[in-house]
Each structure stands twice: as C-alpha cells, then as structure tokens.
C-alpha cells in the first residue's frame, strides 16, 4: 500500500514540481511518508516547490504539543525532506476561530486548489475528522469527535482524558474539490469502513463514501482491509489488466 501510493505521489511531484499536496496524519500514511523520504534521499525527489495543506488538527493542544498534528508532520515527514516551512499549512488548533477556517479555505483556493489529497479512513468511516452525519458539502470547521474516535486515538496519549474532543477539519466538500484523491487503508479494523465507503450507499453516516462521487479517486488497501469487499475479484482483475489510458 505504501509503496504503490508513494509511486503515485512521486509521479505527481515529478510531473508538477509545484504540486499542492493534501496530507493526512495517523498511522496509515506513515509507510507512504517513509517511502517518500527514501525517494528524496536516494533519487532526489524534490519537495522544494511543493505546497502542502493538512486535513486537520486537534483543538486545544499547543502547536508544539507532542501529539499535535503539527508535531506529527514535522517529526515524520517535513524535517526529513526539503519542503519549505513557508509552504506548509496546517489548521491552527491552538486558538480556534471560525474566521481562520475561512482563511484556510481561501488559502487553498489562492494556491489553485489541491492537486492530490492523501486520505486515511477512520474506523467509523470518517475522512479527515468528518464524523458520521457530517454534511457531505461541509467546509473547514470545528468538529466534535465521536467517542469511538477519541477511543481510537487514546493510544497516543498517557490518559484517555487527555485526548482532545474537538478538531478543526477540512470538510467533505473541501476534500471533494481536490483534483485527485488517494485513499489508503490497511488492517482488519478498516475492513468494515472501507466496504461501506466503496460499496455502501453514499451517506453522511460514512463520510468516506463521498469518494464515490469523485471523478478521480484511487483506493489502495491491503488484503485485511479488503476482506469484505463484494467485488474484490473484479478490482484485482482491473488491476491486473490496467492500462495506461488516463
Ligand atoms: P489511522 O487513522 O491512520 O491512525 O488508522 C485514520 C483516520 O482516523 O482517519
């Protein structure tokens, strides 16, 4: 999953060195980020003109908190490649205000929109922090996390009571405007949400299902996450017979 997705991201950057990348946090993209770092070191994959926008940030944690997504991004990726700090954008969760959400949306537009958006999927089917019942037209805003998400994220905190309950997140509508989307999922815990997202009805109860309406989304999953897909054999058939026709 990580290797395949790194090929796609690297191709995108080589084709357009000024690519606007939408980035995700969590365990899912870690392998992809490691692959990109390897490509940067071994082949000189150049991030110097890449612009990035992250999907979301916890509200209430200072920027430099060990569990903030700002810290996560610098630790796992930005400090290991040659992206310029001025080109990096992460929603500000330390002093949340709605005007800043609108500013974030405007900034994405000023840079011409997101060329390639990386997504993980939550066990409740969320993309970014668009929890079940999030409007499929939603924009960057404050979101209250579900208890399930708080529990899922507790593994990174000493005590569950320290897990933030709010986040500032791009909306489903924001994500859907990306020109290309790359949704990644691995492991048993993602089998249910990935099946809902790909083969279930389009519903705000699984915000990831909005990708069914997106003109250019690639989903990469491992066997465990794919295990409940009804059309699994067909997807493998498509992959084996893939053409270079875009
Ligand atoms: P994970 O989170 O990559 O840590 O599983 C994904 C998500 O919640 O979107």
């Amino acid at each position: 999953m990580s290797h395949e997705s790194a090929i796609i991201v690297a191709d995108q950057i080589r084709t357009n060195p000024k690519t606007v990348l939408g980035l995700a946090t969590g365990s899912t993209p870690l392998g992809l980020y490691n692959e990109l770092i390897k490509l940067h070191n071994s082949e000189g994959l150049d991030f110097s003109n890449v612009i990035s926008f992250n999907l979301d940030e916890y509200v209430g944690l200072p920027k430099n908190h060990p569990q903030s997504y700002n810290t996560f991004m610098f630790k796992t990726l930005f400090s290991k490649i040659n992206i310029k700090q001025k080109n990096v954008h992460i929603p500000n969760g330390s002093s949340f205000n709605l005007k800043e959400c609108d500013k974030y949306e405007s900034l994405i537009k000023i840079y011409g929109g997101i060329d390639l958006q990386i997504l993980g999927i939550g066990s409740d089917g969320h993309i970014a922090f668009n929890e079940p019942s999030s409007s499929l037209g939603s924009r960057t805003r404050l979101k209250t996390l579900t208890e399930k998400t708080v529990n899922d994220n507790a593994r990174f905190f000493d005590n569950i009571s320290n897990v933030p309950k709010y986040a500032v997140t791009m909306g489903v509508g924001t994500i859907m405007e990306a020109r290309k989307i790359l949704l990644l999922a691995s492991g048993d815990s993602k089998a249910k949400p990935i099946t809902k997202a790909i083969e279930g009805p389009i519903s705000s109860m699984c915000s990831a299902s909005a990708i069914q309406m997106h003109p250019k989304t690639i989903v990469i999953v491992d066997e465990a996450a794919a295990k409940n897909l009804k059309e699994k054999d067909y997807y493998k058939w498509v992959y084996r017979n893939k053409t270079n026709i875009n």
Side-chain angles (χ1 to χ4, degrees), residues 2-236:
S2 303
H3 181 71
E4 288 279 326
S5 54
I7 292 172
I8 294 170
V9 177
D11 273 357
Q12 169 68 39
I13 295 171
R14 287 190 190 110
T15 309
N16 174 12
K18 293 183 176 166
T19 287
V20 181
L21 272 186
L23 296 176
T25 50
S27 309
T28 308
L30 282 176
L32 161 64
Y33 294 161
N34 283 335
E35 293 285 322
L36 291 176
I37 294 162
K38 272 194 226 157
L39 288 172
H40 171 67
N41 291 333
S42 61
E43 294 178 20
L45 184 64
D46 182 15
F47 292 83
S48 62
N49 290 308
V50 168
I51 309 289
S52 75
F53 283 92
N54 263 78
L55 286 169
D56 44 21
E57 177 59 285
Y58 287 125
V59 165
L61 298 186
K63 233 173 150 178
N64 59 356
H65 186 281
Q67 297 308 333
S68 77
Y69 286 166
N70 187 79
T71 302
F72 175 96
M73 287 311 300
F74 277 91
K75 225 164 90 181
T76 60
L77 182 66
F78 296 152
S79 62
K80 299 176 177 163
I81 55 175
N82 66 333
I83 196 164
K84 292 185 182 129
Q85 178 136 13
K86 70 174 172 70
N87 290 345
V88 161
H89 306 92
I90 300 175
N92 179 7
S94 55
S95 62
F96 173 79
N97 90 46
L98 258 177
K99 269 201 191 119
E100 279 206 40
C101 294
D102 293 343
K103 264 192 7 222
Y104 202 66
E105 291 273 337
S106 310
L107 208 55
I108 294 173
K109 288 209 169 76
I110 288 168
Y111 280 104
I114 292 170
D115 292 305
L116 176 61
Q117 176 66 59
I118 315 291
L119 293 178
I121 184 169
S123 58
D124 64 0
H126 69 208
I127 44 175
F129 273 133
N130 293 289
E131 301 290 39
S133 81
S134 285
S135 158
L136 299 183
S138 51
R139 315 301 309 191
T140 301
R141 70 212 183 289
L142 180 76
K143 203 65 204 167
T144 306
L145 306 183
T146 60
E147 229 177 317
K148 196 171 189 348
T149 298
V150 170
N151 288 334
D152 284 351
N153 294 355
R155 67 189 193 279
F156 300 112
F157 291 81
D158 302 339
N159 190 309
I160 193 158
S161 63
N162 294 333
V163 184
K165 300 199 175 48
Y166 307 97
V168 49
T169 179
M170 277 189 206
V172 183
T174 323
I175 293 168
M176 289 290 284
E177 280 172 11
R179 282 183 269 282
K180 219 185 276 172
I181 291 176
L182 192 50
L183 173 64
L184 310 177
S186 63
D188 274 333
S189 66
K190 300 299 169 71
K192 237 186 185 166
I194 211 72
T195 305
K196 272 169 96 180
I198 299 171
E199 297 181 337
I202 298 170
S203 164
S204 65
M205 293 310 287
C206 171
S207 61
S209 65
I211 61 162
Q212 293 178 35
M213 298 286 289
H214 191 274
K216 214 158 190 181
T217 291
I218 298 171
V219 180
I220 306 181
V221 292
D222 69 354
E223 282 289 342
K227 71 177 181 193
N228 295 337
L229 289 169
K230 281 199 204 82
E231 295 297 331
K232 190 163 84 169
D233 290 339
Y234 172 60
Y235 309 140
K236 287 186 170 176

